[in-house]
Each structure stands twice: as structure tokens, then as C-alpha cells.
Amino acid sequence: MDRRTEVPGSSEAHYASVTKRAPNLLDAWREAERRYDELDPADDGYQAARLDVVRAWIAYQEVVTEDHGQVVVVTDDARRYVAATDNVEKLLGYSAADLIGISVDDLAAPESSLSVDAAWAGFIDAGRDCDTFTLLARDGSRVPVTYEARADTPLPGFHVSRLRLIREPVRAA
């Protein structure tokens, strides 16, 4: 069986596009990791090299996930967004560049913010989490999402979340 048929939203055109673009992005990601691995944590460029890995990784994720309706975001240990796929703008109204530096706490809907500290601590301890959450878009509207999160990915101290918009079911009249 062709594995592409197992991925929701996959198409021949998307697969062909990924096949052409992903190797270059994968090579860029690997090169960024190689440069990072060569540095000592005490080196001046160490933190910048870590962010280079994250940004190369997110560029790769952008291509791989572009047809699947998910937004990929990366946060640091301080719960600040450090990278996101470009389609975050469609979901939250923030460009990927504008999202950098904003705190998870700042985008949590007020009813969610009381539990952010406990949820974050549980997530870090467990190493992964999946659930629903309500975020605030740039215009103040509430955006209900499902998320799958993994701690220390793509590097220790960085944490990836894959977000999907929860669509309200259509109710019969």
C-alpha cells in the first residue's frame, strides 16, 4: 500500500512538491545541527546556532505539513514562541515573525490562563501532551485548537506543538 494514502489531505501534487523541496531543507537542517554539535556551550555563537537548528527544522516542517491543516510552533523553556510555520497567520493573525517573542501565556484565553503554569509543568515532566486549548488571535477572537506537543524537540530546551483548528460541528435545525 502506498504510504501517502495514509496521510489525511495528501495528494500526488503535494507529494511531488515535498519530494523536490524537502531534501534541500533536510540538508539545511542537518548542516545547522552539524554546526551546533561542533560548538561548546560556552562559545559565543552557541545560542545562535541552537536557533539556527530550530529555524531550519521549522522550514522543513513547513513543507512537510503544508497540505495537512496544521500549524507548527516552537517555544523555548520560558514559554516564548521562537519559530512557527507561515500558516500561523491564517490561524492566529500573527505572521511567523510577529509571533516570535510572544509568550504562550499572552495568547492563552483568560479561562485557560489559570491552568497554563500547571499544564506546562506537567507537559515538561511527561515529555509530551495532547489536548484542546483556546488561544487568542491577534484581533482578540478565541481560536479553539487541538494540540500535540513534544518537549525538547527539535533540541533540548525547545518544545514543538502541532495545532489544528477545532471546527464547530454543524447543528441540524
Side-chain angles (χ1 to χ4, degrees):
M1 177 177 188
D2 185 344
R3 295 187 64 85
R4 285 170 283 156
T5 60
E6 297 172 17
V7 179
S10 65
S11 68
E12 287 298 318
H14 174 67
Y15 181 75
S17 173
V18 168
T19 303
K20 287 179 184 170
R21 293 183 292 163
N24 292 337
L25 293 171
L26 185 58
D27 288 345
W29 173 24
R30 288 180 177 154
E31 177 60 22
E33 283 185 322
R34 185 193 60 72
R35 286 191 310 269
Y36 159 74
D37 287 339
E38 291 174 352
L39 293 174
D40 183 275
D43 290 345
D44 286 341
Y46 184 76
Q47 292 304 326
R50 287 173 48 86
L51 284 173
D52 286 346
V53 171
V54 171
R55 291 183 181 131
W57 183 83
I58 207 81
Y60 178 75
Q61 295 301 308
E62 182 97 53
V63 170
V64 174
T65 63
E66 70 186 353
D67 258 8
H68 302 293
Q70 64 182 343
V71 171
V72 181
V73 295
V74 178
T75 56
D76 62 13
D77 280 336
R79 299 195 305 234
R80 289 182 311 253
Y81 292 99
V82 297
T85 51
D86 287 339
N87 59 352
V88 72
E89 189 163 9
K90 192 185 242 183
L91 182 70
L92 296 175
Y94 291 94
S95 71
D98 288 343
L99 191 64
I100 292 172
I102 295 176
S103 169
V104 169
D105 304 58
D106 293 337
L107 294 186
E111 64 273 13
S112 302
S113 63
L114 295 176
S115 63
V116 173
D117 286 335
W120 187 267
F123 158 61
I124 296 299
D125 287 345
R128 60 180 12 164
D129 193 15
C130 61
D131 206 344
T132 60
F133 196 72
T134 302
L135 295 167
L136 293 176
R138 180 174 233 154
D139 66 5
S141 63
R142 288 173 159 52
V143 181
V145 297
T146 60
Y147 68 89
E148 296 175 23
R150 183 172 282 215
D152 297 318
T153 301
L155 291 173
F158 295 103
H159 317 290
V160 66
S161 295
R162 296 175 188 283
L163 311 174
R164 285 186 184 272
L165 178 65
I166 299 173
R167 302 205 187 276
E168 299 277 340
V170 177
R171 301 189 196 281

